[in-house]
Amino acid sequence: MAAGTSFLSRQCVATTTRTLVTAKLKHSSYHFSTFLLPLRTHSRRLTIRAGITNNEEVAAKAAASDADSGAPTIFDKIISKEISSNIVYEDDKVLAFRDINPQAPVHVLIIPKLRDGLTELGKAEARHGEILGRLLYAAKIVAEKEGIVEGFRVVINSGASACQSVYHLHLHVLGGRQMKWPPG
């Protein structure tokens, strides 16, 4: 399954006469699962309380299975302009664009334009030193452009255990709100 097809769609159905909601997760055309979530009533409203595994973990594991296939990622398609994005910064080596699922008021992804085997930070080699430095410097430029240089966070998820879902090294630049510690 290609990394670009690892989007999840959710469909939930609930009634006030039942204490369970059936939720169906559809993960591309290859995977379909059903589970139940308990409901609690609170101030005449139903609130879903779930202690289930995060959907990001499912997506990360699915993406990891295709990590070394060499197939174009969604980021390759953004670089080639097959998929549009909201570009924040670009130079000859890196591209920075807004995340489509922001986790902070400012959430920008920074990627190398050439993957060169750098699918995740855990696979970096000495030859990648220059591009790794360029990515971090681009994070500082993005923070300046976005007005968050006084306080921002740079995150790199490396591998399925870190919930990496696109196997093209990328940095998340987050800011515009107070960050908490520990992060996750």
Side-chain angles (χ1 to χ4, degrees):
M1 189 176 341
T5 61
S6 64
F7 296 104
L8 296 175
S9 62
R10 295 183 196 131
Q11 187 179 41
C12 294
V13 179
T15 65
T16 56
T17 59
R18 294 185 180 183
T19 58
L20 296 174
V21 61
T22 302
K24 295 179 181 177
L25 292 178
K26 184 177 180 184
H27 179 49
S28 86
S29 60
Y30 302 106
H31 178 72
F32 194 80
S33 61
T34 304
F35 56 93
L36 297 176
L37 302 174
L39 292 176
R40 287 186 184 177
T41 50
H42 178 68
S43 302
R44 293 184 163 170
R45 287 192 262 166
L46 295 176
T47 308
I48 297 175
R49 305 278 184 190
I52 61 170
T53 303
N54 193 328
N55 295 337
E56 290 177 23
E57 293 175 24
V58 173
K61 287 177 183 169
S65 66
D66 260 359
D68 296 321
S69 71
T73 67
I74 190 169
F75 294 162
D76 291 314
K77 293 175 182 182
I78 289 171
I79 292 165
S80 68
K81 309 294 191 235
E82 290 176 54
I83 296 176
S84 65
S85 65
N86 188 341
I87 296 173
V88 174
Y89 172 77
E90 182 174 12
D91 67 24
D92 60 326
K93 302 279 185 189
V94 304
L95 180 67
F97 52 93
R98 297 197 189 287
D99 194 300
I100 61 169
N101 185 23
Q103 302 301 306
V106 174
H107 188 169
V108 176
L109 300 176
I110 305 174
I111 60 174
K113 288 185 171 180
L114 180 62
R115 216 178 340 164
D116 189 29
L118 200 51
T119 56
E120 60 183 282
L121 188 58
K123 295 197 176 177
E125 299 172 8
R127 67 188 174 93
H128 295 121
E130 181 183 345
I131 192 63
L132 292 170
R134 288 283 291 265
L135 289 165
L136 285 173
Y137 184 68
K140 183 248 185 195
I141 293 171
V142 166
E144 286 176 339
K145 286 178 165 275
E146 295 296 308
I148 59 170
V149 76
E150 296 301 320
F152 64 99
R153 181 169 288 161
V154 176
V155 175
I156 300 174
N157 300 319
S158 185
S161 295
C163 284
Q164 181 178 358
S165 59
V166 179
Y167 280 83
H168 184 135
L169 179 70
H170 55 286
L171 284 65
H172 297 258
V173 177
L174 300 144
R177 66 170 167 83
Q178 177 62 54
M179 297 292 162
K180 305 292 183 188
W181 197 261

